[in-house]
């Protein structure tokens, strides 16, 4: 790709020559320096991710509080139809991740991002793409703080704790921000693998609780509505986002690609398959058993259907921990996207040369290598920029979270637009653009079909939400 090669060559010529190292010398880790210049210099780190740790992070990004609304969404479609929509959503989401990983192989080294891919396809829109993704991730992170702030007073009350401080959502949101600071400031996604694993234990607990209350014949009589296999109504378009957006983790796929020690196609595809497959299994289990237990009477929040016992209180506590540890997984891509936006705006202000899209009749016909990236180095932003952007995100999310009691309406619109673009539209159009001069292969046709599907989901689901607002259903 001439544009990319020229840019790389110019950067190499401008960079000072690095001192020679022995061939068998260990790689240098990123080191903090007391010099002022180092605060603003870009650095590098060695990749440490594995398929297991990367799958855990992606699965934790996918599995959130949306698990509790799966049974209600299935009740609106029926048992069989709802199960099919879950599988369809998993397949389309996995396809979007695969297309983004193929596009990542056209970028230089281990510096893949939505911005880097946009520079090769739609360079003039790169800033807008990253800004939209940052806003989407920022909004989701706020919702996690709100959910945590709403859950903890209820949990304290159920445990018999009457302290006024522990009944305040402002206190718990403040506690969350302080507790999350060490995690939110982590540079690498792979550094969050232990908290992601801990959060997934909450998923296991919910998994078991739902099964126990369904299979235990000694349980108390529970309200049960009708069970249908297939149901079609206008509500399909208002519940479809619950299924579609439940698998959104695409904002972190480039970090996974950059940080995998072996980021060959086999390893990346394995990570996608494990994370999407496990999430699909969890969603099916909870949705089906929750629906079979309560039928059409199941509430949007599955946990409110059960008796307020210690088991359910601990389940609510585990969900609170889950959303708490999911916050850094949204902060990480938001920070990376804002970094690209700030850098692009700064370059524009300094009137530096802009990047050009892929051109020519042969460059985009060359398939990317399936082998691991030859340069095993992950680029990281300067310390000053890292600290300032992260601090701004945390402060703003805290202010909004304590000021707003409900983001249901806002997130429904953000989800109908932002998540659809990240999961379906951008992967499809990026892949098509990079192969626009090549023959119409099966994968190219699939990419166009996925982007078209994303546009249809956006139009119909957004229209359904607007209609609900007009009818006063919110």
């Amino acid at each position: 790709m001439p544009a990319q090669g020229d840019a790389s060559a110019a950067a190499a010529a401008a960079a000072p020559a690095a001192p020679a190292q022995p061939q068998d010398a260990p790689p240098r880790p990123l080191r903090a320096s007391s010099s002022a210049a180092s605060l603003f210099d870009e650095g590098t780190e060695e990749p440490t991710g594995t398929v297991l740790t990367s799958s855990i992070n992606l699965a934790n990004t996918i599995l959130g509080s949306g698990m509790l609304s799966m049974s209600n969404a299935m009740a609106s479609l029926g048992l069989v139809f709802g199960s099919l929509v879950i599988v369809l959503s998993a397949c389309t989401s996995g396809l979007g991740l695969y297309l983004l990983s193929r596009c990542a192989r056209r970028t230089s080294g281990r510096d893949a991002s939505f911005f880097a891919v946009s520079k090769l396809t739609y360079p003039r829109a790169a800033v807008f793409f990253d800004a939209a993704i940052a806003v989407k991730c920022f909004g989701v992170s706020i919702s996690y703080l709100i959910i945590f702030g709403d859950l903890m007073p209820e949990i304290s009350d159920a445990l018999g704790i009457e302290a006024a401080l522990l009944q305040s959502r402002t206190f718990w949101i403040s506690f969350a921000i302080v507790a999350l600071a060490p995690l939110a400031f982590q540079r690498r996604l792979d550094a969050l693998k232990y908290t992601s694993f801990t959060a997934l234990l909450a998923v296991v607990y919910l998994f078991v609780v739902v099964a126990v209350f369904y299979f235990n014949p000694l349980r108390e009589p529970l309200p049960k509505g009708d069970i249908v296999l297939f149901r079609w109504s206008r509500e399909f378009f208002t519940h479809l986002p619950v299924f579609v957006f439940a698998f959104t983790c695409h904002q972190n796929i480039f970090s996974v690609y950059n940080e995998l020690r072996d980021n060959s196609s086999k390893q990346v595809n394995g990570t996608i398959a494990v994370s999407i497959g496990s999430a699909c299994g969890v969603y099916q289990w909870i949705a089906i058993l929750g629906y079979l237990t309560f039928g059409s009477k199941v509430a949007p929040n599955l946990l409110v259907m059960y008796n307020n016992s210690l088991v359910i209180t601990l389940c609510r506590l585990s969900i609170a921990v889950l959303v708490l540890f999911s916050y850094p997984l949204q902060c990480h891509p938001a920070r990376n996207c804002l970094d690209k936006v700030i850098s692009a705006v700064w370059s524009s202000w300094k009137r530096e040369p802009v990047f050009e899209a892929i051109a020519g009749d042969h460059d985009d016909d060359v398939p990317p290598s399936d082998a691991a990236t030859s340069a095993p180095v992950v680029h990281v932003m300067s310390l000053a920029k890292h600290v300032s952007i992260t601090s701004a995100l945390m402060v703003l999310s805290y202010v909004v979270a304590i000021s707003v009691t409900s983001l249901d309406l806002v997130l429904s619109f953000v989800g109908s637009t932002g998540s659809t673009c990240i999961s379906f539209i951008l992967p499809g159009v990026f892949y098509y653009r990079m192969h626009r001069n090549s023959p119409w292969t099966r994968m190219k046709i699939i990419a166009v079909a996925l982007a078209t599907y994303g546009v249809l989901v956006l139009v119909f689901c957004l229209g359904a939400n607007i209609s609900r607002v007009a009818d006063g259903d919110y």
Side-chain angles (χ1 to χ4, degrees), residues 90-378:
C91 291
T92 52
S93 180
L95 179 59
L97 290 170
Y98 173 78
L99 293 178
L100 289 177
S101 71
R102 300 306 297 175
C103 293
R105 298 196 169 277
R106 295 297 184 92
T107 61
S108 176
R110 290 176 178 265
D111 200 23
S113 64
F114 278 99
F115 190 83
V117 173
S118 299
K119 289 190 300 186
L120 301 177
T121 52
Y122 303 95
R124 296 182 182 277
V127 173
F128 299 102
F129 288 156
D130 270 69
I133 295 168
V135 170
K136 184 263 180 187
C137 295
F138 178 68
V140 175
S141 68
I142 293 172
S143 73
Y144 288 153
L145 292 178
I146 291 177
I147 292 171
F148 182 79
D150 291 341
L151 277 176
M152 291 308 298
E154 296 178 2
I155 295 170
S156 300
D157 185 62
L159 293 176
I161 302 175
E162 299 179 356
L165 183 64
L166 300 184
Q167 299 292 325
S168 169
R169 66 185 298 272
T170 301
F171 165 77
W172 285 113
I173 294 175
S174 303
F175 168 83
I177 283 293
V178 174
L180 288 171
L183 301 176
F185 278 92
Q186 292 291 332
R187 288 180 173 270
R188 293 175 299 158
L189 189 69
D190 190 61
L192 303 174
K193 56 191 174 186
Y194 298 113
T195 53
S196 292
F197 177 76
T198 303
L200 290 180
L201 294 179
V203 177
V204 175
Y205 187 57
L206 177 63
F207 191 92
V208 173
V209 166
V210 172
V212 168
F213 274 83
Y214 174 74
F215 290 108
N216 184 6
L218 300 179
R219 69 184 188 276
E220 296 181 11
L222 298 171
K224 189 172 182 180
D226 56 309
I227 304 292
V228 298
L229 299 181
F230 182 92
R231 175 181 288 128
W232 174 261
S233 68
R234 177 187 172 187
E235 293 183 354
F236 169 76
F237 295 107
T238 59
H239 286 91
L240 180 60
V242 176
F243 296 99
V244 173
F245 309 138
F247 291 93
T248 301
C249 62
H250 301 65
Q251 61 269 26
N252 283 327
I253 186 61
F254 291 122
S255 293
V256 167
Y257 172 84
N258 294 334
E259 296 179 15
L260 274 172
R261 281 199 295 260
D262 176 9
N263 67 349
S264 61
S265 289
K266 181 179 180 181
Q267 299 295 308
V268 175
N269 294 342
T271 301
I272 294 172
V274 171
S275 56
I276 292 293
S278 59
C280 182
V282 169
Y283 283 143
Q284 289 279 22
W285 179 271
I286 294 175
I288 291 175
L289 293 188
Y291 178 47
L292 291 178
T293 302
F294 301 107
S296 61
K297 297 179 181 179
V298 63
N301 183 349
L302 181 61
L303 289 182
V304 303
M305 300 296 296
Y306 300 106
N307 294 333
N308 197 20
S309 62
L310 179 60
V311 173
I312 299 303
T313 299
L314 292 178
C315 194
R316 289 194 181 101
L317 180 60
S318 66
I319 295 299
V321 173
L322 172 64
V323 298
L324 187 69
F325 286 159
S326 297
Y327 178 91
L329 295 173
Q330 299 295 331
C331 187
H332 181 87
R335 177 177 59 234
N336 288 343
C337 289
L338 287 177
D339 172 40
K340 304 299 183 183
V341 172
I342 293 171
S343 298
V345 172
W346 177 255
S347 298
S348 176
W349 183 75
K350 293 175 63 178
R351 299 181 182 276
E352 293 182 355
V354 296
F355 291 91
E356 297 179 359
I358 295 176
D361 296 331
H362 61 281
D363 293 327
D364 53 352
D365 294 335
V366 180
S369 172
D370 289 333
T373 304
S374 57
V377 174
V378 182

Side-chain angles (χ1 to χ4, degrees), residues 415-460:
S416 299
T417 54
S419 294
T420 304
C421 291
I422 295 175
S423 303
F424 308 135
I425 299 177
L426 289 184
V429 298
F430 282 161
Y431 188 89
Y432 168 78
R433 181 72 173 179
M434 285 190 170
H435 299 82
R436 66 189 184 281
N437 293 325
S438 62
W440 280 90
T441 61
R442 179 174 58 183
M443 188 52 62
K444 186 176 178 180
I445 295 174
I446 292 176
V448 174
L450 182 67
T452 304
Y453 170 71
V455 171
L456 293 176
V457 171
L458 187 151
V459 171
F460 283 104

